[in-house]
Amino acid sequence: MNANKISDITRRKISDEIIFSNIYYGGLLTEPEFLSRLFNLKNLLSRDHRYRNAYDDIYQHTVNNDDYPADWIYSDPRINLLYCEDDKYLDFLIETVHPRVRSNQNEIEKLLEIYNRHLNADGFEIVKNGDISGKPIFSGRKKGVGETHFISQKKEIKKYLDTEYVNNKIKIMTESVYENTELAIGTAKELLETTCKSILKYKNVAIDTNWNLAQIIKKTSENLDFLPNGVDEAVKVGKSIKQILQGLSSVVHGVTELRNSYGTGHGKDADFKGLEMPYAKLLVGVVSDIVVFYLTINNETIELVEN
């Protein structure tokens, strides 16, 4: 039984679109050169009786004579991209956009777009995970609950603050969690502050320019109605909710401290090292939840106050 999560349907769609886009998967390399980065072709059998191994066989039919079909690597049992393990298939995709293999930036962007559009259906994605000689390198991974949560939160925020400014902040905040944690932290703080100021303006509450973020959030909480509708003892429940929300001051303090230490907006030493991804991801998730909660409680489309 095939335990792969990336279906043969998805793999075939990716193959077909690459061929349709007239992009050669091996980039700057010949097919045997490229495949040798993933497989020990010298130890695989030849399907042509004239040759002793797969490397010589593939060289003959793809370099000397171009008589293999464009998608042969999907059906050839030695490579078997259509049914090989998910990790092996992702390794193949990643290798096609490696700097050693491909230098055309337009092709790299096109391939990544094709991969992620189709992989999304099976819950996978290709993401940047570092650099080599100043060029990006990538890795494949299964999308986790965190990514799904970010996507849903972005959609909810945009219901109430659907502007180019906010959309850009959301995009930067969520995407930079994996690549630039200090940018993610700084942007999360800015989005939270923008949301609170926008709500206060909507409520006709004067904003003191000397307020810090904790004071802005406290004032926002004071001007929102947390009494749930249709709940017995609503006043008591609302009071309990406000007690819970007092913990926001601790969250805000953490946001401020992280931004001062790791986020954008402050000068850094030459040997500065950014906060590790899990911590930035946690912060971005918390800020997203706070923003969505405030906007949902306010339940109105509000005019944006840009910082």
Side-chain angles (χ1 to χ4, degrees), residues 59-87:
Y59 192 94
Q60 173 63 25
H61 291 281
T62 63
V63 179
N64 292 338
N65 295 315
D66 187 13
D67 55 10
Y68 272 3
D71 61 348
W72 71 271
I73 52 176
Y74 281 82
S75 58
D76 190 306
R78 297 168 298 182
I79 309 300
N80 194 28
L81 285 184
L82 203 58
Y83 298 109
C84 67
E85 295 84 355
D86 288 335
D87 288 346

Side-chain angles (χ1 to χ4, degrees), residues 174-189:
T174 54
E175 293 183 358
S176 59
V177 162
Y178 305 102
E179 300 179 9
N180 188 338
T181 57
E182 57 175 310
L183 179 59
I185 293 169
T187 308
K189 182 264 182 184

Side-chain angles (χ1 to χ4, degrees), residues 190-202:
E190 292 169 12
L191 177 61
L192 184 53
E193 184 174 346
T194 295
T195 300
C196 289
K197 286 184 176 179
S198 299
I199 292 173
L200 290 173
K201 180 180 178 181
Y202 176 81

